[in-house]
Amino acid sequence: MQALAYKKAVSEGKIDQQFIYLYGKQALDRQRTRYCRAIDSFIEIFGDLDVELISAPGRTEIGGNHTDHQHGRVVAASVDMDILAVAARTEEFSIQLQSEGYPMNFVDLSQLEARPEEVDKSNSLLRGVCSRFRQLGRQIGGLKVYTTNNVLKGSGLSSSASFEVLVGSLQNILYNGGEIAPMEIAQIGQYAENVYFGKPSGLLDQAASAMGGFAAMDFADPEAPEVERIDFDVERYGYALCIVDTGGNHTDLTPDYAAVPQEMKRAAQFFGKSVLREVDEAEFYPSIRELRRACGDRAVLRAMHFFQENRRAGEMARLLKAGSFEEFLKVVNDSGNSSYMYLQNTYSPSNPQEQGIPLALAVGKRLLNGRGACRVHGGGFAGAVQAYVPLEMAEEFRRGMEEAFGEGAFHPLRIRPCGAYCMSSNW
């Protein structure tokens, strides 16, 4: 459909049911306006071309903090914050992608080798995703794209994974007939992030964004993860799920993130294994003295976190399926305490004066006064905390957090029922 015709359809409410499905009824007017503005921006830059509207969601980690890269278990969900793309095919063998508020990205698709100067930049993800498509025998083609993104950067909602899933979905829908499964799109995104972007992440972020909904995942075999859908609605239990953005500085945190899997793998290698999921926990604890000498104390603590957190992720899934929400909240708090004390990812050791996450946890626990739960969100070191807040306390919690971290720091989350979504495919 031509871009102007799409805008007319949006304005006339012909896509309202899709908006309600993705964002909820309360967001209907806001999303109509957002989509129309994105289409206008596309037309201004590229012209009135035949376009698709495609959205890829952010994600929230429920449990399994830094377990995925050790082939562990996680519980995660896609959320109603997303990256929206207005995209058109082009005969030019290149990608021109204009993200709102940023310079134009340009990638020549005949040159897909990794480039050191693109590490930690969007072009590396564009190039990496398309390179992996090629390696797997998939089709790629030229694109003209305008994107607008409301996935909070550095919040643990994984804007980079959303972007990777979006780029993979554009190539999948526009050049591969939509035949590529969501988990393969996630694995392609992880490849781009690991090899081209330079961040050694596990598969949690991309899988949660691509698969959508609320799910328990087991990465014992990362080539074929087990995924179990869970019917879960926080409000049904009288709680709101939210994140609080601490406004921390995310510059140069890649070494902190990278040290977590590196140290965990070093501990695994002590036992002749490649990842901690393969290590016998009964063999681990009697070996702590030798392990300290070989790997250092922090690696030992992070390995302890993995063993405990891997069990907690499985327990979270069990409790949610059983409807034992108060017990679930206790496990959430245990997870947060383990990340704080053992994993040690609540602030960067290179910048100890900036401790927004520990401060948000302290303020949040004071406001909750023994109720709900509060934990670090996502990769950590800077960014956001996640909280389960009783509905009757939500406004007081918001005010208290925004007094400490600024207006707009509090963000309620709605679980999105699906991963990447193409409007015309579901019209």
Side-chain angles (χ1 to χ4, degrees):
M1 183 184 295
Q2 295 295 114
L4 278 173
Y6 237 132
K7 181 184 176 183
K8 185 172 185 289
V10 171
S11 300
E12 293 176 348
K14 294 181 179 177
I15 306 179
D16 282 0
Q17 289 308 307
Q18 283 95 315
F19 288 159
I20 293 170
Y21 175 67
L22 294 177
Y23 308 107
K25 193 169 185 179
Q26 76 286 349
L28 189 54
D29 290 341
R30 183 168 69 251
Q31 293 301 333
R32 279 189 199 140
T33 300
R34 179 182 178 223
Y35 274 65
C36 286
R37 285 177 177 169
I39 294 169
D40 284 340
S41 295
F42 178 94
I43 293 171
E44 183 179 345
I45 298 165
F46 300 115
D48 186 17
L49 305 180
D50 190 30
V51 298
E52 292 285 3
L53 304 183
I54 298 174
S55 155
R59 68 97 177 117
T60 185
E61 172 201 285
I62 305 299
N65 195 214
H66 280 281
T67 55
D68 56 333
H69 48 67
Q70 299 302 299
H71 298 185
R73 300 183 185 93
V74 304
V75 181
S78 57
V79 297
D80 55 350
M81 296 179 183
D82 65 344
I83 305 179
L84 163 66
V86 184
R89 292 170 55 125
T90 175
E91 295 301 316
E92 303 161 26
F93 200 51
S94 64
I95 296 178
Q96 299 174 65
L97 186 145
Q98 176 70 65
S99 294
E100 182 180 16
Y102 291 90
M104 175 80 74
N105 293 102
F106 178 86
V107 170
D108 183 342
L109 294 179
S110 65
Q111 300 176 17
L112 294 179
E113 68 284 351
R115 299 184 175 188
E117 68 273 15
E118 290 183 349
V119 167
D120 207 26
K121 294 181 172 58
S122 297
N123 266 13
S124 68
L125 298 177
L126 292 169
R127 210 179 297 274
V129 167
C130 292
S131 174
R132 191 60 174 162
F133 264 72
R134 270 286 178 83
Q135 293 170 31
L136 296 172
R138 303 296 190 176
Q139 298 298 311
I140 60 172
L143 299 170
K144 293 184 176 182
V145 188
Y146 179 85
T147 69
T148 180
N149 180 6
N150 63 12
V151 181
L152 300 172
K153 293 188 177 178
S155 64
L157 294 169
S158 296
S159 58
S160 61
S162 304
F163 185 75
E164 295 150 16
V165 168
L166 178 71
V167 175
S169 298
L170 291 172
Q171 293 291 352
N172 182 29
I173 292 164
L174 293 173
Y175 287 101
N176 291 272
E179 67 180 27
I180 305 175
M183 189 57 76
E184 185 175 342
I185 294 292
Q187 291 164 331
I188 289 169
Q190 184 199 17
Y191 172 87
E193 184 155 312
N194 291 173
V195 178
Y196 279 67
F197 192 75
K199 185 176 178 181
S201 67
L203 188 56
L204 183 158
D205 297 352
Q206 295 84 359
S209 177
M211 299 297 294
F214 195 104
M217 305 182 195
D218 190 334
F219 297 111
D221 179 0
E223 297 302 313
E226 295 181 10
V227 179
E228 181 182 9
R229 303 283 185 176
I230 299 175
D231 179 20
F232 177 62
D233 180 1
V234 182
E235 291 194 9
R236 187 169 69 221
Y237 296 96
Y239 280 82
L241 175 61
C242 67
I243 61 166
V244 177
D245 185 1
T246 67
N249 182 5
H250 297 85
T251 304
D252 299 327
L253 288 180
T254 295
D256 292 313
Y257 293 120
V260 176
Q262 288 168 0
E263 291 179 9
M264 287 185 175
K265 287 178 180 178
R266 197 180 306 144
Q269 289 162 3
F270 176 87
F271 297 96
K273 306 298 184 181
S274 60
V275 292
L276 285 171
R277 184 67 179 271
E278 300 169 352
V279 175
D280 183 352
E281 190 176 0
E283 184 182 355
F284 171 84
Y285 287 101
S287 305
I288 284 179
R289 180 181 292 184
E290 294 81 6
L291 191 58
R292 290 180 69 193
R293 287 196 291 264
C295 303
D297 290 349
R298 191 171 69 172
V300 176
L301 287 164
R302 285 175 164 173
M304 292 172 68
H305 166 82
F306 169 79
F307 290 125
Q308 296 170 20
E309 186 74 352
N310 195 47
R311 281 195 298 275
R312 274 190 290 267
E315 182 69 357
M316 284 181 178
R318 184 190 70 78
L319 291 169
L320 288 175
K321 288 186 290 184
S324 302
F325 191 70
E326 292 300 325
E327 289 298 313
F328 164 78
L329 291 178
K330 292 178 183 177
V331 180
V332 172
N333 279 320
D334 289 343
S335 171
N337 291 337
S338 181
S339 293
Y340 202 151
M341 292 188 293
Y342 299 120
L343 185 61
Q344 298 179 29
N345 70 330
T346 58
Y347 67 92
S348 172
S350 65
N351 186 17
Q353 294 304 311
E354 185 176 305
Q355 297 198 24
I357 290 175
L359 180 59
L361 292 173
V363 173
K365 287 181 182 296
R366 176 181 173 274
L367 291 167
L368 289 171
N369 193 27
R371 299 185 66 186
C374 200
R375 68 190 283 271
V376 64
H377 188 241
F381 298 107
V385 300
Q386 178 191 73
Y388 295 81
V389 183
L391 290 173
E392 68 272 17
M393 298 175 66
E395 181 58 25
E396 177 187 354
F397 188 85
R398 181 195 65 78
R399 286 198 307 269
M401 282 301 198
E402 293 192 345
E403 283 176 3
F405 297 99
E407 187 176 351
F410 174 89
H411 298 275
L413 295 178
R414 176 180 179 271
I415 303 302
R416 168 165 155 158
C418 66
Y421 190 92
C422 177
M423 288 292 171
S424 67
S425 299
N426 296 279
W427 199 346

mmCIF file of all heavy atoms in Angstrom, residues 281-303:
data_model
loop_
_atom_site.group_PDB
_atom_site.id
_atom_site.type_symbol
_atom_site.label_atom_id
_atom_site.label_comp_id
_atom_site.label_asym_id
_atom_site.label_seq_id
_atom_site.Cartn_x
_atom_site.Cartn_y
_atom_site.Cartn_z
ATOM 1 N N GLU A 281 27.077 -28.912 39.975
ATOM 2 C CA GLU A 281 27.126 -28.027 41.130
ATOM 3 C C GLU A 281 27.704 -28.734 42.355
ATOM 4 O O GLU A 281 28.389 -28.112 43.187
ATOM 5 C CB GLU A 281 25.724 -27.483 41.443
ATOM 6 C CG GLU A 281 25.712 -26.379 42.479
ATOM 7 C CD GLU A 281 24.327 -25.805 42.692
ATOM 8 O OE1 GLU A 281 23.366 -26.259 42.025
ATOM 9 O OE2 GLU A 281 24.201 -24.889 43.537
ATOM 10 N N ALA A 282 27.458 -30.032 42.482
ATOM 11 C CA ALA A 282 27.998 -30.784 43.617
ATOM 12 C C ALA A 282 29.520 -30.842 43.581
ATOM 13 O O ALA A 282 30.171 -30.969 44.624
ATOM 14 C CB ALA A 282 27.425 -32.203 43.624
ATOM 15 N N GLU A 283 30.085 -30.718 42.400
ATOM 16 C CA GLU A 283 31.541 -30.690 42.265
ATOM 17 C C GLU A 283 32.087 -29.282 42.483
ATOM 18 O O GLU A 283 33.238 -29.095 42.879
ATOM 19 C CB GLU A 283 31.930 -31.190 40.866
ATOM 20 C CG GLU A 283 33.421 -31.308 40.622
ATOM 21 C CD GLU A 283 33.756 -31.757 39.202
ATOM 22 O OE1 GLU A 283 32.823 -32.064 38.427
ATOM 23 O OE2 GLU A 283 34.966 -31.768 38.860
ATOM 24 N N PHE A 284 31.239 -28.278 42.245
ATOM 25 C CA PHE A 284 31.680 -26.886 42.308
ATOM 26 C C PHE A 284 32.060 -26.454 43.726
ATOM 27 O O PHE A 284 33.164 -25.941 43.966
ATOM 28 C CB PHE A 284 30.569 -25.979 41.753
ATOM 29 C CG PHE A 284 30.805 -24.506 41.956
ATOM 30 C CD1 PHE A 284 31.593 -23.784 41.077
ATOM 31 C CD2 PHE A 284 30.234 -23.839 43.036
ATOM 32 C CE1 PHE A 284 31.820 -22.427 41.268
ATOM 33 C CE2 PHE A 284 30.448 -22.483 43.232
ATOM 34 C CZ PHE A 284 31.243 -21.772 42.344
ATOM 35 N N TYR A 285 31.166 -26.642 44.679
ATOM 36 C CA TYR A 285 31.377 -26.074 46.013
ATOM 37 C C TYR A 285 32.601 -26.632 46.741
ATOM 38 O O TYR A 285 33.343 -25.869 47.381
ATOM 39 C CB TYR A 285 30.107 -26.198 46.853
ATOM 40 C CG TYR A 285 29.046 -25.215 46.392
ATOM 41 C CD1 TYR A 285 27.987 -25.625 45.592
ATOM 42 C CD2 TYR A 285 29.128 -23.868 46.737
ATOM 43 C CE1 TYR A 285 27.026 -24.714 45.151
ATOM 44 C CE2 TYR A 285 28.179 -22.957 46.297
ATOM 45 C CZ TYR A 285 27.129 -23.387 45.511
ATOM 46 O OH TYR A 285 26.193 -22.481 45.070
ATOM 47 N N PRO A 286 32.891 -27.930 46.667
ATOM 48 C CA PRO A 286 34.117 -28.413 47.309
ATOM 49 C C PRO A 286 35.405 -27.895 46.656
ATOM 50 O O PRO A 286 36.486 -28.037 47.236
ATOM 51 C CB PRO A 286 34.018 -29.945 47.165
ATOM 52 C CG PRO A 286 32.577 -30.218 46.954
ATOM 53 C CD PRO A 286 32.059 -29.048 46.177
ATOM 54 N N SER A 287 35.275 -27.278 45.471
ATOM 55 C CA SER A 287 36.457 -26.823 44.726
ATOM 56 C C SER A 287 36.700 -25.322 44.859
ATOM 57 O O SER A 287 37.545 -24.769 44.151
ATOM 58 C CB SER A 287 36.286 -27.172 43.239
ATOM 59 O OG SER A 287 36.037 -28.543 43.047
ATOM 60 N N ILE A 288 35.969 -24.635 45.759
ATOM 61 C CA ILE A 288 36.038 -23.178 45.819
ATOM 62 C C ILE A 288 37.454 -22.683 46.095
ATOM 63 O O ILE A 288 37.907 -21.705 45.489
ATOM 64 C CB ILE A 288 35.034 -22.626 46.853
ATOM 65 C CG1 ILE A 288 33.613 -22.676 46.270
ATOM 66 C CG2 ILE A 288 35.384 -21.189 47.254
ATOM 67 C CD1 ILE A 288 32.531 -22.175 47.205
ATOM 68 N N ARG A 289 38.192 -23.329 47.005
ATOM 69 C CA ARG A 289 39.535 -22.837 47.326
ATOM 70 C C ARG A 289 40.422 -22.829 46.093
ATOM 71 O O ARG A 289 41.091 -21.829 45.810
ATOM 72 C CB ARG A 289 40.177 -23.703 48.416
ATOM 73 C CG ARG A 289 41.590 -23.228 48.777
ATOM 74 C CD ARG A 289 42.236 -24.088 49.832
ATOM 75 N NE ARG A 289 41.560 -23.934 51.123
ATOM 76 C CZ ARG A 289 41.987 -24.521 52.231
ATOM 77 N NH1 ARG A 289 43.040 -25.330 52.213
ATOM 78 N NH2 ARG A 289 41.346 -24.324 53.362
ATOM 79 N N GLU A 290 40.427 -23.914 45.328
ATOM 80 C CA GLU A 290 41.256 -23.975 44.114
ATOM 81 C C GLU A 290 40.717 -23.025 43.047
ATOM 82 O O GLU A 290 41.485 -22.398 42.309
ATOM 83 C CB GLU A 290 41.292 -25.406 43.571
ATOM 84 C CG GLU A 290 41.989 -26.402 44.476
ATOM 85 C CD GLU A 290 41.109 -26.902 45.608
ATOM 86 O OE1 GLU A 290 39.896 -26.561 45.620
ATOM 87 O OE2 GLU A 290 41.627 -27.609 46.493
ATOM 88 N N LEU A 291 39.393 -22.912 42.982
ATOM 89 C CA LEU A 291 38.769 -22.048 41.977
ATOM 90 C C LEU A 291 39.107 -20.582 42.231
ATOM 91 O O LEU A 291 39.345 -19.812 41.294
ATOM 92 C CB LEU A 291 37.257 -22.262 41.992
ATOM 93 C CG LEU A 291 36.429 -21.652 40.853
ATOM 94 C CD1 LEU A 291 36.896 -22.153 39.504
ATOM 95 C CD2 LEU A 291 34.944 -21.981 41.061
ATOM 96 N N ARG A 292 39.151 -20.177 43.493
ATOM 97 C CA ARG A 292 39.529 -18.800 43.821
ATOM 98 C C ARG A 292 40.913 -18.475 43.277
ATOM 99 O O ARG A 292 41.147 -17.406 42.714
ATOM 100 C CB ARG A 292 39.529 -18.594 45.334
ATOM 101 C CG ARG A 292 38.187 -18.592 45.996
ATOM 102 C CD ARG A 292 38.341 -18.376 47.492
ATOM 103 N NE ARG A 292 38.801 -17.017 47.781
ATOM 104 C CZ ARG A 292 39.254 -16.627 48.973
ATOM 105 N NH1 ARG A 292 39.334 -17.489 49.980
ATOM 106 N NH2 ARG A 292 39.618 -15.372 49.159
ATOM 107 N N ARG A 293 41.842 -19.395 43.498
ATOM 108 C CA ARG A 293 43.215 -19.161 43.043
ATOM 109 C C ARG A 293 43.292 -19.103 41.523
ATOM 110 O O ARG A 293 44.061 -18.318 40.960
ATOM 111 C CB ARG A 293 44.144 -20.254 43.574
ATOM 112 C CG ARG A 293 44.434 -20.141 45.068
ATOM 113 C CD ARG A 293 45.636 -20.987 45.450
ATOM 114 N NE ARG A 293 45.329 -22.416 45.351
ATOM 115 C CZ ARG A 293 44.939 -23.166 46.381
ATOM 116 N NH1 ARG A 293 44.795 -22.628 47.589
ATOM 117 N NH2 ARG A 293 44.690 -24.453 46.222
ATOM 118 N N ALA A 294 42.498 -19.931 40.855
ATOM 119 C CA ALA A 294 42.572 -20.016 39.397
ATOM 120 C C ALA A 294 41.820 -18.885 38.698
ATOM 121 O O ALA A 294 42.261 -18.393 37.653
ATOM 122 C CB ALA A 294 42.021 -21.361 38.927
ATOM 123 N N CYS A 295 40.680 -18.444 39.278
ATOM 124 C CA CYS A 295 39.782 -17.534 38.559
ATOM 125 C C CYS A 295 39.501 -16.228 39.282
ATOM 126 O O CYS A 295 38.999 -15.282 38.662
ATOM 127 C CB CYS A 295 38.449 -18.226 38.280
ATOM 128 S SG CYS A 295 38.588 -19.761 37.350
ATOM 129 N N GLY A 296 39.783 -16.149 40.573
ATOM 130 C CA GLY A 296 39.465 -14.957 41.341
ATOM 131 C C GLY A 296 38.129 -15.066 42.040
ATOM 132 O O GLY A 296 37.244 -15.829 41.631
ATOM 133 N N ASP A 297 37.960 -14.289 43.096
ATOM 134 C CA ASP A 297 36.766 -14.391 43.920
ATOM 135 C C ASP A 297 35.491 -13.997 43.183
ATOM 136 O O ASP A 297 34.429 -14.594 43.383
ATOM 137 C CB ASP A 297 36.916 -13.509 45.162
ATOM 138 C CG ASP A 297 37.948 -14.048 46.138
ATOM 139 O OD1 ASP A 297 38.384 -15.206 45.960
ATOM 140 O OD2 ASP A 297 38.338 -13.311 47.066
ATOM 141 N N ARG A 298 35.561 -12.939 42.362
ATOM 142 C CA ARG A 298 34.336 -12.479 41.698
ATOM 143 C C ARG A 298 33.800 -13.539 40.747
ATOM 144 O O ARG A 298 32.578 -13.720 40.640
ATOM 145 C CB ARG A 298 34.576 -11.160 40.957
ATOM 146 C CG ARG A 298 33.273 -10.505 40.491
ATOM 147 C CD ARG A 298 33.496 -9.111 39.968
ATOM 148 N NE ARG A 298 34.238 -9.097 38.713
ATOM 149 C CZ ARG A 298 34.445 -8.016 37.969
ATOM 150 N NH1 ARG A 298 33.971 -6.846 38.378
ATOM 151 N NH2 ARG A 298 35.139 -8.081 36.857
ATOM 152 N N ALA A 299 34.687 -14.259 40.071
ATOM 153 C CA ALA A 299 34.229 -15.337 39.193
ATOM 154 C C ALA A 299 33.518 -16.428 39.983
ATOM 155 O O ALA A 299 32.523 -17.005 39.521
ATOM 156 C CB ALA A 299 35.414 -15.920 38.423
ATOM 157 N N VAL A 300 34.016 -16.719 41.192
ATOM 158 C CA VAL A 300 33.367 -17.719 42.041
ATOM 159 C C VAL A 300 31.971 -17.246 42.438
ATOM 160 O O VAL A 300 30.986 -17.993 42.355
ATOM 161 C CB VAL A 300 34.216 -17.993 43.301
ATOM 162 C CG1 VAL A 300 33.481 -18.965 44.233
ATOM 163 C CG2 VAL A 300 35.580 -18.559 42.915
ATOM 164 N N LEU A 301 31.853 -15.989 42.864
ATOM 165 C CA LEU A 301 30.553 -15.446 43.253
ATOM 166 C C LEU A 301 29.585 -15.430 42.076
ATOM 167 O O LEU A 301 28.387 -15.751 42.232
ATOM 168 C CB LEU A 301 30.732 -14.036 43.811
ATOM 169 C CG LEU A 301 31.360 -13.948 45.204
ATOM 170 C CD1 LEU A 301 31.843 -12.528 45.480
ATOM 171 C CD2 LEU A 301 30.363 -14.395 46.265
ATOM 172 N N ARG A 302 30.073 -15.052 40.909
ATOM 173 C CA ARG A 302 29.188 -15.009 39.740
ATOM 174 C C ARG A 302 28.743 -16.409 39.335
ATOM 175 O O ARG A 302 27.603 -16.602 38.882
ATOM 176 C CB ARG A 302 29.894 -14.278 38.590
ATOM 177 C CG ARG A 302 29.918 -12.769 38.815
ATOM 178 C CD ARG A 302 30.699 -11.984 37.786
ATOM 179 N NE ARG A 302 30.329 -10.564 37.896
ATOM 180 C CZ ARG A 302 30.925 -9.578 37.242
ATOM 181 N NH1 ARG A 302 31.956 -9.835 36.419
ATOM 182 N NH2 ARG A 302 30.514 -8.327 37.393
ATOM 183 N N ALA A 303 29.607 -17.384 39.505
ATOM 184 C CA ALA A 303 29.195 -18.765 39.239
ATOM 185 C C ALA A 303 28.133 -19.212 40.241
ATOM 186 O O ALA A 303 27.143 -19.872 39.868
ATOM 187 C CB ALA A 303 30.409 -19.685 39.296
#
